[in-house]
Amino acid sequence: MMAIKKIWIYLAVLTLCLPLTIFSFNGVDLPLSDLICVVGIFLSIKYANFLFTKLLYLAIGLSLISSLFVAIFIAQDFDFRPLYSIIYFFKPYFSIFVAFYVIRTKNDFNIFCKSTGYFVFFALFPIICSIFFLHNGLVRNESDLNGEIFGLPLYGSYGVNSLAVYYLLLYFLILFLKYIDEDLGNYLKIIRLISLCILSYLIFFSLSREAILGFAALIIWYFLQNNSGHIKKIMIGLIAIAGLLFVLSLDSTSDMWQSKTDQIVESIQQGDLDRLSSGRIGLYLVALNQFSHNIIFGNGFHGFQLYTDTIEGFDTVEGLSPHNQYITTIWKMGLLAAIPYFLALITLYKMTTPLRGTVKYKFISILLFVVFFILANVWDVLIIPNFSALLFFFWGAIIKSASVEKFKKNE
């Protein structure tokens, strides 16, 4: 039985750490991580007595009511797309129940972390090779991120931000390996270092400002947390700067970097916050205006097209989102469902209480700070399926590893 549980851990890591698309449905790509989320939907019943689970169920149920209300009284049309949108929004959260189920001991948590180190490296190696051999080392190509895994395209590469923040989350997890209660061994230590270097390259040269900002916050925290001597920190910093300047000097990177820099400088000089945010401010205002039409039910997951056919600066409103997790939530489901949704997240954070006083608590806290106070304010980050699924699995795994006895009493 224990051997089967360990196989589940390896399968979870495999599906969560390979950013690949399994198939498309209704014009939307579905990542490999969805397989774990489907399993989590069934396992959630086992943890139905948890307050987090009850609030999550309530948020989903009230979202369905919001969607039905808007369909009947505002849209006056029944469409399956809002239902698909509800499923798309909530499905990643169910990966946490798989973590609750398969992490039975602290050793299981260590197995998850170490196997993540190996799987991430073996995923990154073909990605970085394809970038250098097929794209001359260029990570970003206008609105796409380059890279593939043995000829298979990466999930979330279009639009840059989704894949960039996924790389950032992988960086968190690989960095975290240092803090597990087990020696990594020389082989994994080498792999860890190589993976961190590759991920640093992918994050920075994605030119995703939110991913770079989150990366900077993590690095600052890590250096403050780390007890390494000042000389070692200075040497690492100088090496990083030298490598950065070398890559920026390459023609393939310098033009795109200059274009991004010009956009930022000119936007600040002109006081154009909408341009500085790549149109986000405009989206926020439109979404909040639409939310004001019905603060209880929102738009019932019907999208911008419920009230408008056009938004200045965008070719279409189909599939467009406000690019802010909090605005997106209230805009989609209204306050009726948003209140239990946010309470569920607060409840989940409170479940990390047994970790207080440990470096793991500090680490999960900085991770959640970056996600909820940096990324979530400039992107619908929790709607990214593989990012969110991996985040909640890790969140659940670290909670379970610190509360094994408490969970046994509830199971």
Side-chain angles (χ1 to χ4, degrees):
M1 186 67 176
M2 293 301 294
I4 294 176
K5 290 286 177 64
K6 285 180 172 54
I7 291 175
W8 269 108
I9 295 174
Y10 295 130
L11 288 175
V13 173
L14 174 66
T15 56
L16 293 170
C17 294
L18 288 178
L20 296 174
T21 299
I22 45 176
F23 59 87
S24 296
F25 176 74
N26 200 35
V28 177
D29 289 339
L30 300 178
L32 189 62
S33 59
D34 274 7
L35 298 176
I36 286 296
C37 298
V38 171
V39 174
I41 292 173
F42 295 100
L43 287 177
S44 68
I45 300 172
K46 182 178 178 64
Y47 304 97
N49 62 322
F50 285 18
L51 180 58
F52 165 75
T53 313
K54 293 176 181 177
L55 289 169
L56 183 63
Y57 284 167
L58 181 60
I60 295 171
L62 293 176
S63 292
L64 290 169
I65 291 174
S66 295
S67 179
L68 185 62
F69 178 89
V70 171
I72 295 174
F73 296 103
I74 300 177
Q76 297 182 343
D77 179 44
F78 287 95
D79 192 337
F80 281 108
R81 282 181 297 180
L83 178 60
Y84 298 149
S85 182
I86 292 174
I87 295 172
Y88 191 84
F89 186 97
F90 284 105
K91 62 181 169 64
Y93 298 80
F94 286 89
S95 69
I96 196 170
F97 299 110
V98 181
F100 286 166
Y101 182 72
V102 301
I103 304 299
R104 314 297 294 185
T105 65
K106 290 183 179 180
N107 184 55
D108 287 342
F109 179 70
N110 292 337
I111 291 173
F112 161 70
C113 292
K114 293 176 73 172
S115 57
T116 295
Y118 287 110
F119 274 104
V120 168
F121 173 77
F122 289 117
L124 289 176
F125 190 74
I127 291 175
I128 197 67
C129 285
S130 67
I131 287 174
F132 275 96
F133 291 114
L134 300 179
H135 303 283
N136 298 316
L138 188 64
V139 176
R140 177 168 176 166
N141 180 27
E142 296 299 334
S143 297
D144 297 83
L145 290 187
N146 294 318
E148 57 187 49
I149 298 178
F150 302 118
L152 299 174
L154 303 179
Y155 179 83
S157 60
Y158 180 75
V160 175
N161 290 320
S162 294
L163 184 54
V165 296
Y166 180 78
Y167 287 148
L168 177 61
L169 180 56
L170 293 182
Y171 191 96
F172 267 94
L173 299 189
I174 300 304
L175 196 65
F176 179 76
L177 281 172
K178 178 179 178 179
Y179 302 115
I180 68 173
D181 305 321
E182 190 173 313
D183 182 61
L184 299 181
N186 292 331
Y187 186 60
L188 185 53
K189 286 179 181 177
I190 294 172
I191 282 179
R192 175 178 178 269
L193 180 59
I194 295 173
S195 295
L196 290 175
C197 291
I198 294 174
L199 286 167
S200 298
Y201 185 88
L202 294 175
I203 292 167
F204 195 87
F205 294 104
S206 70
L207 304 185
S208 168
R209 287 166 293 178
E210 65 187 89
I212 293 172
L213 185 59
F215 181 73
L218 172 62
I219 294 301
I220 292 171
W221 171 85
Y222 181 73
F223 274 104
L224 292 175
Q225 174 69 34
N226 202 309
N227 294 322
S228 299
H230 294 298
I231 295 178
K232 183 178 179 181
K233 291 179 180 180
I234 292 172
M235 289 300 295
I236 293 174
L238 290 174
I239 293 172
I241 292 172
L244 175 62
L245 292 175
F246 171 74
V247 178
L248 284 176
S249 67
L250 300 176
D251 291 338
S252 58
T253 305
S254 59
D255 291 343
M256 193 173 297
W257 181 256
Q258 185 63 46
S259 176
K260 273 291 177 184
T261 304
D262 290 344
Q263 177 190 347
I264 294 172
V265 172
E266 291 172 7
S267 299
I268 293 174
Q269 290 175 341
Q270 297 168 6
D272 190 346
L273 295 179
D274 194 46
R275 185 186 176 195
L276 178 64
S277 64
S278 299
R280 284 175 171 81
I281 302 298
L283 288 174
Y284 297 169
L285 295 176
V286 173
L288 290 172
N289 179 61
Q290 291 192 353
F291 168 67
S292 69
H293 295 337
N294 192 334
I295 65 172
I296 301 299
F297 298 110
N299 66 23
F301 287 81
H302 281 71
F304 280 112
Q305 61 269 24
L306 181 66
Y307 295 106
T308 183
D309 294 325
T310 60
I311 295 179
E312 185 178 354
F314 296 90
D315 296 331
T316 179
V317 299
E318 290 285 340
L320 192 61
S321 72
H323 290 53
N324 180 296
Q325 184 67 38
Y326 306 108
I327 293 176
T328 294
T329 299
I330 60 174
W331 169 73
K332 278 180 174 289
M333 63 182 71
L335 291 180
L336 183 68
I339 291 175
Y341 167 79
F342 288 124
L343 287 176
L345 293 176
I346 293 171
T347 299
L348 191 58
Y349 179 71
K350 288 183 177 180
M351 291 175 70
T352 63
T353 300
L355 289 162
R356 283 185 177 172
T358 67
V359 70
K360 290 180 181 179
Y361 180 76
K362 293 179 181 179
F363 191 90
I364 192 68
S365 294
I366 186 63
L367 170 57
L368 298 179
F369 172 82
V370 169
V371 170
F372 288 100
F373 289 94
I374 296 179
L375 304 183
N377 278 302
V378 290
W379 188 240
D380 319 275
V381 67
L382 297 183
I383 300 182
I384 304 171
N386 56 346
F387 173 93
S388 194
L390 180 55
L391 170 68
F392 282 97
F393 188 96
F394 176 70
W395 197 350
I398 202 169
I399 289 173
K400 182 68 179 292
S401 69
S403 312
V404 172
E405 295 303 321
K406 182 179 178 181
F407 269 74
K408 287 181 179 178
K409 292 178 182 178
N410 287 287
E411 290 180 345

